[in-house]
Amino acid sequence: MKYILLIFFLLSLFLESSVTTIPFVFIVLLSFFVLERKEWVLFLALITGFFLDAITFRPLGLSGLFFSVFLFIVFIYERKFEIATVPFVLTASFIGSLFYLWIFYSKGIVVLESVFSAILGVLVFVLFSRLNKGALKKDVLGSKLYE
Amino acid sequence: MRKKENFFLAFFIVLILSLFIFGLSKTGILFPVTSITQKLFSPFQGLTYGVFNSFENFGTSGQVKKLEAENIDLASIISDEQRLKEENSALLDQFKTADVQTQSLLPAQIVGAPGFIPGFSVPETFIINKGTSDGVESGDTVVYKNNLVGRVSKVEGFLSQVSLVTNSSSSFTAKTSQGVLGVIKGQGGGQMILDNVLLSDNLSTKDLVLTNGDTNLSGGGFPPGLVVGKIVSVDKRPSDLFQRAMVTSFLDFSKLTTVFVIK
């Protein structure tokens, strides 16, 4: 799983910096966070955000700041909602992408891109949950989610 | 409860670290770190862009590609002829001096062109694999053959960001092949308009639009005679103060792989 995750992050980094404005890194981070809910995902957000900023000409630390704040808000909502579900990921991806695109690419077709990002977010989430299902069943939190 | 406390602590550490990095990057201390990261990642960025670019070109037949290249060459020839005419006229008059500057071209590979859907959306910016280490400076003109691509907007050690001529923040003076002056304004999404053209001037479709060569207060500007595009439609209303025209570039920005920085 670790290697798959690394490939996903590198791929999303290269895609976002080279060919598209769709927030791939954010989508992958969010999908992974709702499944894992571990502190180290925040540090992962900081590191990937740093690399993303460096290769997309943004002030360093800005993407990491956005990612960590958004993941923190998602964590707060954990008590009120079941976050590892398709409707939550769809909503969170849409809202997060909307803010992300508005902050970093305010001149584009922000809403349409956010809708596309939300759909993509769900696909990544479903893929991650299927890949991670075996590992999660051993975990108390995960077993509640998938049984 | 403990899990929550740990998470809060981790969040505050990440928050402070992010703000610290942000502050440092604003002072410029992290410039070498950024340069090394860019140097490390740019080959992979170029590879990703190249792979997507080859997918985009997959459906285009050889005949279409040949015609597109021919079209760009013909536009360059017309622009050269226009320039020669002006130079000749200037020499004959012995008043104007022909603006023939010795310029060197620095080839640069495009490693990034982020747009919504690759191949369909026209990007607003390019990322090229040349930076301050190659002598690129902010404000440098970027061309492909004799066609204007854009201007270098941000420079780092090994990469630069180029704002395309169609970028919504792009604005500069231009003239048509008939000598009509106006202002080119980028509209985003690959669109440009030639605005602020006097109603008394004659604009017609298929007229070439060239850079006028004006410089701004900071010394920046485009060299004269570069092809911006051709007029595809004219919007002239007697009630308006100015007339305007839609301009299309001869270049397909989503298919470019190499550009040249004028030094």
Side-chain angles (χ1 to χ4, degrees):
Chain A
M1 186 64 193
K2 277 176 190 172
Y3 295 110
I4 293 168
L5 190 70
L6 184 72
I7 291 165
F8 259 93
F9 272 108
L10 286 174
L11 204 66
S12 56
L13 253 178
F14 297 138
L15 284 174
E16 202 178 325
S17 63
S18 308
V19 290
T20 184
T21 49
I22 296 165
F24 270 103
V25 177
F26 168 72
I27 288 166
V28 172
L29 267 172
L30 180 74
S31 303
F32 190 66
F33 179 75
V34 294
L35 289 171
E36 286 287 322
R37 290 179 230 182
K38 298 275 167 59
E39 293 84 18
W40 59 266
V41 184
L42 288 175
F43 291 98
L44 190 70
L46 180 74
I47 294 162
T48 47
F50 179 88
F51 286 129
L52 188 66
D53 289 334
I55 54 178
T56 52
F57 293 88
R58 289 176 199 157
L60 296 178
L62 203 61
S63 298
L65 193 70
F66 176 86
F67 294 151
S68 52
V69 168
F70 198 84
L71 295 184
F72 179 70
I73 293 166
V74 169
F75 181 78
I76 290 169
Y77 273 95
E78 187 194 23
R79 283 194 159 196
K80 288 200 170 185
F81 302 105
E82 181 46 75
I83 63 169
T85 57
V86 170
F88 184 85
V89 173
L90 189 77
T91 315
S93 301
F94 176 75
I95 295 167
S97 301
L98 200 68
F99 277 104
Y100 184 88
L101 292 164
W102 182 62
I103 292 167
F104 298 114
Y105 307 97
S106 54
K107 286 165 190 165
I109 30 172
V110 171
V111 178
L112 187 67
E113 283 192 53
S114 303
V115 172
F116 195 79
S117 304
I119 297 164
L120 211 66
V122 171
L123 292 174
V124 172
F125 168 71
V126 171
L127 185 72
F128 269 178
S129 54
R130 289 203 185 276
L131 286 170
N132 208 22
K133 206 168 182 177
L136 279 167
K137 271 185 177 172
K138 290 170 192 168
D139 182 20
V140 181
L141 186 71
S143 61
K144 277 181 185 172
L145 291 172
Y146 293 105
E147 278 173 11
Chain B
M1 194 65 191
R2 187 168 175 80
K3 183 180 172 262
K4 198 176 176 180
E5 278 172 12
N6 285 346
F7 193 86
F8 272 70
L9 182 69
F11 171 68
F12 281 112
I13 291 169
V14 169
L15 191 73
I16 290 162
L17 276 172
S18 299
L19 290 170
F20 184 66
I21 293 167
F22 181 73
L24 282 180
S25 78
K26 284 283 174 191
T27 60
I29 294 170
L30 292 175
F31 184 78
V33 183
T34 315
S35 297
I36 292 165
T37 311
Q38 287 175 349
K39 183 85 176 163
L40 208 71
F41 279 93
S42 65
F44 299 105
Q45 274 182 284
L47 187 73
T48 315
Y49 180 74
V51 168
F52 270 82
N53 208 276
S54 59
F55 279 138
E56 287 160 22
N57 290 330
F58 189 69
T60 318
S61 71
Q63 185 70 19
V64 173
K65 275 184 198 169
K66 198 181 160 191
L67 284 170
E68 279 175 352
E70 224 169 72
N71 206 15
I72 293 168
D73 287 339
L74 285 170
S76 300
I77 291 166
I78 294 169
S79 155
D80 284 343
E81 271 182 16
Q82 177 75 16
R83 192 169 54 82
L84 283 170
K85 264 186 200 171
E86 281 174 15
E87 282 176 18
N88 196 23
S89 164
L91 284 168
L92 283 171
D93 289 346
Q94 293 190 354
F95 275 119
K96 297 176 212 167
T97 50
D99 190 18
V100 185
Q101 295 169 342
T102 48
Q103 292 164 340
S104 62
L105 296 173
L106 177 71
Q109 198 199 338
I110 299 168
V111 293
F116 174 27
I117 300 171
F120 290 97
S121 316
V122 179
E124 292 277 290
T125 54
F126 278 157
I127 297 171
I128 55 171
N129 68 342
K130 300 286 182 216
T132 47
S133 59
D134 305 284
V136 178
E137 289 170 24
S138 185
D140 281 352
T141 304
V142 180
V143 294
Y144 178 74
K145 292 189 177 174
N146 204 18
N147 288 257
L148 181 66
V149 173
R151 191 198 307 268
V152 174
S153 52
K154 285 177 189 170
V155 198
E156 297 280 353
F158 300 99
L159 293 178
S160 300
Q161 191 180 55
V162 179
S163 278
L164 298 191
V165 72
T166 56
N167 191 306
S168 46
S169 61
S170 168
S171 175
F172 57 92
T173 53
K175 63 180 177 186
T176 67
S177 42
Q178 307 300 320
V180 175
L181 278 170
V183 177
I184 283 283
K185 291 174 182 170
Q187 302 291 295
Q191 305 287 319
M192 285 180 280
I193 56 161
L194 180 68
D195 206 353
N196 294 28
V197 179
L198 293 173
L199 283 178
S200 55
D201 287 333
N202 189 27
L203 284 181
S204 54
T205 51
K206 293 181 184 171
D207 269 2
L208 279 184
V209 181
L210 312 165
T211 52
N212 195 37
D214 295 341
T215 50
N216 57 28
L217 287 171
S218 57
F222 297 120
L226 293 173
V227 179
V228 180
K230 67 172 180 182
I231 294 175
V232 286
S233 67
V234 181
D235 181 16
K236 188 176 184 178
R237 292 172 198 167
S239 57
D240 287 349
L241 202 58
F242 297 109
Q243 57 178 320
R244 56 169 65 181
M246 287 293 291
V247 178
T248 308
S249 176
F250 287 98
L251 301 173
D252 185 350
F253 293 112
S254 59
K255 285 177 184 165
L256 285 179
T257 50
T258 307
V259 289
F260 297 87
V261 182
I262 296 178
K263 290 308 300 167

